[in-house]
Amino acid sequence: MNRRDILRGAALLGGASLLTPETVWAAAAADWTLGLADVEADIAPTALTRLHGRAPTALTGTLFRNGPAKFRRPGGSVGHWFDGDGMVRKFQIADGQTRMSARFVDTVKRRHDTAANAVITPGFGTAAGPGAAITGPDDANAANTSVLMAGGELWALWEGGSPTALDPATLETRGVKTLRPDLKGMPFLAHPRVQPDGTIWNIGLGGKQAVVWKLAPDGSLLKAEMIKLPRGSYMHDFTATARHLVLVLQPWVQDRFVMPFSTSMQWKPELGTQVLVLDKDDLSKQRIFELPPFFFFHLGDAWEETDGTIRFDACVDDDPSGTAANGGAILRGERLRAAPPRRALITLGADGKGAFAKEAISAEFPRSDPRFAGQVRRYSVHVTNERPDRPLFQGVAVRDWKRDTDQVFDFGPRHLVEETVFVPRPGSSAELDGWLVGTTVNLDAKATELHLFDARHVQQGPIAAWRAPVALPVTFHGVFVQA
Amino acid sequence: MTSIRAFGLALIATAAIASTAHAQDAFGDLTLTFPALASNQGKIMIAVYDSAQGWSSGKPTRVAIASASDNPAAAKVVSLPPGTYAVRAFQDVDGDGKMGTNPFGLPVEPYGFSRDAAPNMGPPTFDAAAFTVKAGANTQAIHLK
């Protein structure tokens, strides 16, 4: 059912009131809520049923994805989508077969909430319940946002606390990572930036201060340095060129520290957006750019052109009234009063001037060829939702910045489309020579599906797909680890 | 937290008070034990408070030191006037005389409170950690985490 059909239907009924997209969401079968349902137990390794196509023989490896999978308990539920317990999914592709398993991260939060039979742990949109005793951020760590492979360990990431180490073979939780004893409990964003050589950069945010993390590919700490920020913005993601760290400071600023955490922030569009660019080799070398006000969760990898111009894509909203503010409503199958984010290209000129170009296409979960991270690049991959009559996403897009074109594959309204990652063809070197790998929730089959695309021809649709015996709620972020 | 020198001076003062007390049975002795330590490194720095005001302003009435390598790790605070007290302690694993914190102020060395009172977004209140010292022998076990 699309918006046009419904509006036509309303006109035919002669109704005086115009059905808005928001009303349509509530009125239509809210079966998209399958993407936000609770999982009660780990999923033991199981084969997926092949639906069509064949996995290319060169595509061998494991897709790990993370996302919240337990939201509601008898004594009390989370107040926000971001506060569900993290569950890591593993999709192993080998010899044309796919196997899946999924396991909850064994966090202090999950143990406390399970024992209380209620969500008592505070979070982004959840107040503390009776009996909550938080001694530090890792007591509230939901370990639910993303994953990172480092030195043979799989880390489950959550922006308010430490990474949580898992065994990548069994998905068993090994425990919270302390990268250095005096840095115990320092936060680690769920969006590290990994250079093509495997060096890992990340930020840990604390109001107007941050720690800059630099790790070796094996996860060992190379450097941890404190920096001051010109404002205490909420920052879910940052980006980087080969030479710089790029911190986008939106005007959703923290003016106190309270739980639920999202109530600590105030929207102040009059401040505009600032972008802080730091030299990776000397964090005291800083530049600030001014942009119009916008709200964002996610950015693409940045690049620097020969004349010093820095560019990167971003998925932007006009303000936080969408997911950030209404992540509780979505768990109740209620309407979200906002359009999906749209793609924007941000330019930071060598002359110190910033430019912000917002596009018409909706966009979230931006990814690109990891071999070109921080380098001049041509392509972005993201999800889209051009039908505003249903939340979550329905299509996969590949943006060609050089030719100014978009290729889109639309799964249609019966799929919830999740982040799709690029996997390079082994032995190739050209950008985007490889595949896109991503999951959807098929609302008709009531099952999670895995889809492969030829990355250069996404509009032709998946070249192969498999279906799981269960539907798991939508995930946020993941990585593909080649075998 | 005070430095090692201050703790040393306070220990001497405590011993002096003990030796001059003549009505020993009007006072209480408090033995503090620290079971199940994760590490046996360093000294356990102990502060005893006799009021909520002292507790929240960081002004202990007595201080003591235990050695984490002793088995059991314990310290005795003698000749306390009977009444209500609360204790906080930390294990100075790196031996710098201070409670270690990360750059955002979170403690990174093991710490604990009497009655194993639970911190919650900050230290527990005096009342949550408070216990009664009576004349004669008293014991409190604190599990440092």
Side-chain angles (χ1 to χ4, degrees):
Chain A
M1 210 176 12
N2 68 30
R3 187 166 182 263
R4 244 188 314 247
D5 293 336
I6 285 146
L7 290 175
R8 197 177 302 128
L12 286 172
L13 287 173
S17 56
L18 184 66
L19 289 174
T20 62
E22 297 81 34
T23 316
V24 167
W25 282 5
D31 59 356
W32 52 263
T33 54
L34 183 63
L36 297 142
D38 293 308
V39 180
E40 298 308 329
D42 294 342
I43 310 290
T46 184
L48 268 56
T49 306
R50 192 171 60 89
L51 296 176
H52 70 86
R54 309 175 62 78
T57 17
L59 180 54
T60 303
T62 304
L63 176 69
F64 292 101
R65 297 198 55 77
N66 197 357
K70 176 68 172 166
F71 307 95
R72 306 164 188 86
R73 294 181 186 273
S77 299
V78 302
H80 197 287
W81 186 16
F82 297 171
D83 295 333
D85 293 342
M87 182 179 221
V88 175
R89 337 290 160 90
K90 177 176 173 173
F91 298 90
Q92 235 169 325
I93 305 174
D95 307 319
Q97 317 261 29
T98 303
R99 289 177 68 72
M100 177 186 88
S101 62
R103 216 165 157 168
F104 278 102
V105 184
D106 182 14
T107 60
V108 167
K109 164 183 156 52
R110 185 166 165 81
R111 290 189 184 196
H112 284 171
D113 292 349
T114 302
N117 209 21
V119 178
I120 57 169
T121 305
F124 186 83
T126 305
I134 305 298
T135 65
D138 287 326
D139 286 352
N141 192 331
N144 68 2
T145 310
S146 188
V147 280
L148 174 73
M149 265 309 261
E153 247 182 358
L154 187 68
W155 294 0
L157 304 183
W158 180 80
E159 66 196 13
S162 311
T164 305
L166 312 177
D167 178 337
T170 63
L171 299 183
E172 185 183 3
T173 300
R174 290 186 180 150
V176 156
K177 285 297 287 188
T178 294
L179 292 165
R180 205 170 69 196
D182 64 320
L183 300 173
K184 181 177 164 212
M186 288 294 282
F188 193 89
L189 288 186
H191 286 281
R193 288 286 162 181
V194 184
Q195 296 178 172
D197 69 0
T199 303
I200 300 161
W201 290 90
N202 206 357
I203 302 288
L205 217 47
K208 289 175 81 166
Q209 278 193 90
V211 57
V212 174
W213 300 101
K214 182 183 180 187
L215 311 183
D218 70 359
S220 57
L221 182 66
L222 296 175
K223 176 167 86 170
E225 205 173 308
M226 297 300 298
I227 58 170
K228 286 192 174 46
L229 301 173
R231 57 169 78 161
S233 296
Y234 173 74
M235 194 192 306
H236 175 75
D237 189 4
F238 75 105
T239 189
T241 69
R243 298 198 299 141
H244 310 97
L245 302 178
V246 179
L247 275 56
V248 180
L249 302 166
Q250 62 191 325
W252 201 40
V253 286
Q254 190 182 338
D255 66 354
R256 54 193 176 141
F257 181 70
V258 289
M259 294 300 233
F261 182 64
S262 56
T263 60
S264 303
M265 267 80 69
Q266 296 289 326
W267 179 245
K268 298 184 178 170
E270 67 277 9
L271 297 178
T273 302
Q274 288 184 310
V275 183
L276 178 64
V277 176
L278 306 127
D279 239 53
K280 277 177 173 174
D281 292 335
D282 181 353
L283 299 179
S284 69
K285 293 206 174 99
Q286 304 184 354
R287 288 176 288 161
I288 293 187
F289 295 80
E290 306 285 339
L291 292 177
F294 62 88
F295 178 82
F296 79 102
F297 283 110
H298 299 120
L299 309 171
D301 285 326
W303 69 86
E304 183 186 12
E305 293 162 5
T306 44
D307 65 355
T309 303
I310 293 173
R311 288 189 218 275
F312 55 97
D313 44 341
C315 302
V316 304
D317 289 313
D318 292 333
D319 57 49
S321 64
T323 311
N326 289 312
I330 203 175
L331 289 176
R332 297 186 294 272
E334 287 170 16
R335 61 189 198 235
L336 265 178
R337 285 186 227 171
R342 285 158 53 183
R343 194 174 67 210
L345 187 69
I346 292 170
T347 303
L348 307 176
D351 61 357
K353 296 209 179 85
F356 175 72
K358 188 163 67 174
E359 302 176 72
I361 189 170
S362 65
E364 246 315 358
F365 300 116
R367 299 292 290 244
S368 51
D369 188 329
R371 302 167 302 173
F372 288 74
Q375 312 288 333
V376 173
R377 61 182 173 89
R378 178 170 171 176
Y379 300 104
S380 289
V381 180
H382 61 84
V383 296
T384 68
N385 182 22
E386 299 313 330
R387 284 187 202 78
D389 59 350
R390 197 209 74 191
L392 306 173
F393 298 94
Q394 303 183 32
V396 179
V398 175
R399 169 65 172 168
D400 183 338
W401 294 103
K402 187 170 168 185
R403 292 177 64 201
D404 190 15
T405 56
D406 293 296
Q407 269 201 52
V408 179
F409 179 73
D410 181 6
F411 276 92
R414 304 306 294 156
H415 282 257
L416 307 176
V417 176
E418 303 171 54
E419 178 196 64
T420 297
V421 306
F422 171 73
V423 180
R425 183 188 316 275
S428 75
S429 57
E431 188 186 349
L432 221 73
D433 181 358
W435 306 280
L436 302 183
V437 182
T439 47
T440 72
V441 177
N442 182 328
L443 297 177
D444 292 328
K446 293 192 172 48
T448 290
E449 294 181 353
L450 179 74
H451 299 268
L452 304 186
F453 295 82
D454 176 339
R456 297 277 186 90
H457 299 103
V458 71
Q459 69 194 12
Q460 292 174 6
I463 60 173
W466 292 263
R467 181 175 292 162
V470 295
L472 295 177
V474 294
T475 51
F476 289 142
H477 302 289
V479 293
F480 190 92
V481 179
Q482 284 180 284
Chain B
M1 280 295 167
T2 54
S3 69
I4 281 190
R5 196 180 304 121
F7 271 106
L9 288 170
L11 274 179
I12 293 164
T14 307
I17 291 164
S19 67
T20 57
H22 60 276
Q24 206 77 1
D25 34 61
F27 290 93
D29 289 349
L30 173 62
T31 300
L32 295 160
T33 66
F34 301 92
L37 292 173
S39 145
N40 58 8
Q41 293 257 66
K43 302 263 180 261
I44 298 170
M45 317 293 266
I46 302 155
V48 182
Y49 300 82
D50 62 0
S51 71
Q53 199 193 4
W55 178 264
S56 50
S57 59
K59 294 193 168 74
T61 181
R62 300 287 185 85
V63 292
I65 297 184
S67 182
S69 55
D70 287 347
N71 192 8
K76 195 167 177 185
V77 181
V78 298
S79 300
L80 285 169
T84 307
Y85 295 86
V87 176
R88 61 211 302 177
F90 76 96
Q91 184 172 351
D92 187 22
V93 176
D94 66 0
D96 72 345
K98 295 188 305 242
M99 159 73 104
T101 60
N102 77 12
F104 289 165
L106 186 80
V108 299
E109 291 181 311
Y111 66 97
F113 306 91
S114 44
R115 289 176 54 208
D116 282 335
N120 189 19
M121 309 288 284
T125 59
F126 175 84
D127 288 340
F131 59 96
T132 307
V133 166
K134 47 186 200 325
N138 299 264
T139 316
Q140 278 283 315
I142 299 179
H143 293 82
L144 300 183
K145 289 193 192 122

